[in-house]
Amino acid sequence: MSLVQLSASLPSVDAVIALLPSGSELPSGTPWSALGFTGETGQVAVVPSGDAQLTAWVSLPADASAEQQRRAVAKGLRAVPKATTIGIDPSRVAEPDLAAIAEAAVLTAYAYLEYKGEKAREKTTVVESVTILGEQDGAAALVEEAVIVAEATCLARDWVNTPPADLRPPAFADAIGATAPEGVTVEVWDEARLEQERCGGILGVGRGSEAPPRLVRLEYAPEGATKHLALVGKGITFDSGGLSLKPGASMMTMKCDMGGAAAIVAATHAIARLGLPIRVTAFACIAENLPSGTATRPGDVLRMRSGATVEVHNTDAEGRLVLADGLALAVEAEPDHIVDAATLTGAAMVALGTRTTAVLGNDTDLEERVLAAGEAAGEPMWRLPITEEIISAVSTSSIADLRQHNPKPYGGTLYAAAFLREFVAERSWAHLDIAGPAFNDAGAFDYTPVGGTGAGVRTLVRLARDLG
């Protein structure tokens, strides 16, 4: 049974989240002034109620967008942290977006308890049911679809949150296969197959670890599909930096370095569950980047799937190496568009902060579609350029076709994208650098928890819907 239900009336619940457009007349019978609640946008007041043990009144703009409604629901849920059964009343909103409300409910209720002991679990309140008041025509189907997308986002969160010792490349590949829905075929390439297929980038990154790398190809091909989207994801299950070793403190969140692969796989699962009329071919490029006597060294040259040779300058810039093989394979699948997602560069966080995805590519129209999909999904994104001087720097190796790392300490996000651009031929391509938003190591906010966020999943599903 789904966590979220739509109903013409609210049952008896622990708490009701009541959405109140700013400027509305406040319900009588409550000492609002004593609570400091005036109904201004963003305010929350929790009061005892006859309809439930508690009612959380959340004020939002009178013309609230889908994202504003998501955030209002999240505020309400966080205001009643001990409630296990929730009702949501959006009846006062002029144009309630029931799908957005359902999505926010699932995303906010998310909790990762896999490694918590019995006592800790007993102290953690888990939301058991959410009932949304609403009777719009076709709303039930829209709510069901929103829940599917939110569940896929939570799956990506689970994978990102899993301790790296328990999700090494073979285990991650197995988990992808085990969760694939009907209609999705899964093919796993082990290290022998990767060698046979000349995937020098994935092999070069993974050879420092005794847990060998994997490439997972997923295929969703509904009958009658006329458009074809390829997705490629960086799946570094733990990034120590390799021989270009990271400082210890910088490794603490590096289990999240497979967030791109988690996003493209979870999105593919959701696209199939939704039955969207678009063919999707996805490539999860999975490796563990560790130092050892067999690890790739700075100065080594790798021969990639495309046939290009790459001089390695920094083994902590490994993500672009595994993506290069994935992108080359995506080109061979002859899609209409390619989109990759990766926790690729710290420079993206320097430029845009921790909540905004950088979007780069070679097709302005596709980039604009990605940005529009991100806005509709509630995932902030910003477009960055791939400039001529950066493009020319990629070819400055004296011994190989390409130089893996920027010779200057500027424009790191642009350089990484320029490097990837070398592997997409003339295919329409967009790159999502989710280094900032993929992992939240601060406090929970809105419907975003601490830890893995599932960044990119909702945008990719929305993009597939728009392209199809």
Side-chain angles (χ1 to χ4, degrees):
M1 182 178 177
S2 172
L3 174 71
V4 177
Q5 304 296 322
L6 194 64
S7 177
S9 61
L10 291 180
S12 176
V13 292
D14 294 340
V16 171
I17 312 302
L19 304 184
L20 184 69
S22 60
S24 300
E25 182 178 349
L26 299 178
S28 61
T30 299
W32 297 110
S33 58
L35 294 171
F37 186 84
T38 62
E40 294 180 12
T41 295
Q43 288 187 321
V44 180
V46 180
V47 299
S49 169
D51 300 326
Q53 291 183 5
L54 295 170
T55 296
W57 294 91
V58 184
S59 185
L60 72 172
D63 57 349
S65 65
E67 178 61 11
Q68 288 169 325
Q69 292 181 49
R70 289 188 195 100
R71 294 183 180 186
V73 168
K75 282 186 178 182
L77 284 167
R78 296 198 186 282
V80 288
K82 295 300 182 180
T84 61
T85 57
I86 306 288
I88 301 178
D89 179 3
S91 61
R92 296 171 182 80
V93 177
E95 296 185 11
D97 191 321
L98 300 182
I101 289 169
E103 189 176 66
V106 175
L107 294 175
T108 309
Y110 173 83
Y112 187 72
L113 303 175
E114 188 67 26
Y115 292 83
K116 293 286 188 180
E118 184 177 348
K119 289 184 178 180
R121 287 173 180 253
E122 290 174 354
K123 294 179 181 178
T124 302
T125 301
V126 176
V127 176
E128 298 173 357
S129 68
V130 176
T131 304
I132 302 173
L133 182 64
E135 288 187 297
Q136 296 177 1
D137 291 340
L142 294 176
V143 166
E144 182 180 356
E145 291 178 358
V147 169
I148 287 173
V149 177
E151 288 174 345
T153 303
C154 291
L155 174 63
R157 290 174 174 180
D158 282 349
W159 281 333
V160 171
N161 285 329
T162 302
D166 291 343
L167 198 72
R168 304 184 81 180
F172 189 19
D174 290 345
I176 292 171
T179 56
E182 183 178 353
V184 174
T185 60
V186 178
E187 182 181 8
V188 178
W189 290 5
D190 63 11
E191 64 273 28
R193 179 70 184 276
L194 288 166
E195 189 74 44
Q196 180 184 340
E197 298 289 347
R198 311 180 314 283
C199 293
I202 298 173
L203 288 166
V205 172
R207 71 189 188 193
S209 171
E210 76 276 12
R214 295 287 186 266
L215 181 132
V216 182
R217 173 177 174 144
L218 300 93
E219 185 80 29
Y220 166 65
E223 186 175 354
T226 58
K227 295 292 184 179
H228 184 190
L229 172 66
L231 301 175
V232 181
K234 172 187 172 184
I236 304 302
T237 59
F238 183 75
D239 182 18
S240 70
L243 291 177
S244 304
L245 197 65
K246 294 179 183 289
S250 299
M251 294 188 207
M252 280 305 300
T253 60
M254 283 299 101
K255 66 180 182 180
C256 81
D257 216 19
M258 35 63 68
I264 64 109
V265 171
T268 302
H269 287 7
I271 290 164
R273 290 183 63 194
L274 293 169
L276 299 186
I278 183 171
R279 179 184 170 193
V280 177
T281 307
F283 300 88
C285 309
I286 306 172
E288 186 175 43
N289 188 24
L290 294 179
S292 75
T294 59
T296 293
R297 302 156 179 80
D300 281 350
V301 173
L302 304 177
R303 187 174 296 276
M304 317 300 281
R305 168 73 182 192
S306 68
T309 56
V310 174
E311 182 183 10
V312 176
H313 282 248
N314 184 339
T315 64
D316 195 22
E318 81 299 328
R320 65 199 68 181
L321 298 174
V322 301
L323 286 173
D325 283 342
L327 290 169
L329 289 165
V331 168
E332 293 172 25
E334 300 185 340
D336 298 297
H337 306 285
I338 302 172
V339 178
D340 76 74
T343 49
L344 204 60
T345 64
M349 299 168 66
V350 173
L352 301 176
T354 58
R355 299 186 185 182
T356 302
T357 292
V359 178
L360 306 94
N362 65 0
D363 181 341
T364 301
D365 180 67
L366 178 61
E367 292 169 58
E368 293 295 338
R369 283 174 173 261
V370 170
L371 292 169
E375 182 176 6
E379 297 194 292
M381 298 189 174
W382 195 260
R383 186 180 176 196
L384 295 177
I386 305 177
T387 58
E388 288 186 13
E389 70 271 21
I390 294 291
I391 292 172
S392 62
V394 174
S395 302
T396 57
S397 169
S398 62
I399 62 171
D401 298 324
L402 302 172
R403 178 188 175 113
Q404 170 233 15
H405 197 263
N406 195 352
K408 297 181 179 180
Y410 317 113
T413 301
L414 281 58
Y415 189 94
F419 179 85
L420 297 179
R421 180 177 174 271
E422 297 292 325
F423 298 91
V424 298
E426 300 301 319
R427 292 285 165 181
S428 167
W429 161 71
H431 163 60
L432 278 58
D433 192 331
I434 59 172
F439 196 85
N440 175 26
D441 58 0
F445 62 93
D446 297 330
Y447 47 83
T448 301
V450 173
T453 66
V457 174
R458 294 181 295 132
T459 294
L460 293 174
V461 175
R462 176 75 64 157
L463 177 66
R465 188 190 296 277
D466 294 345
L467 292 174

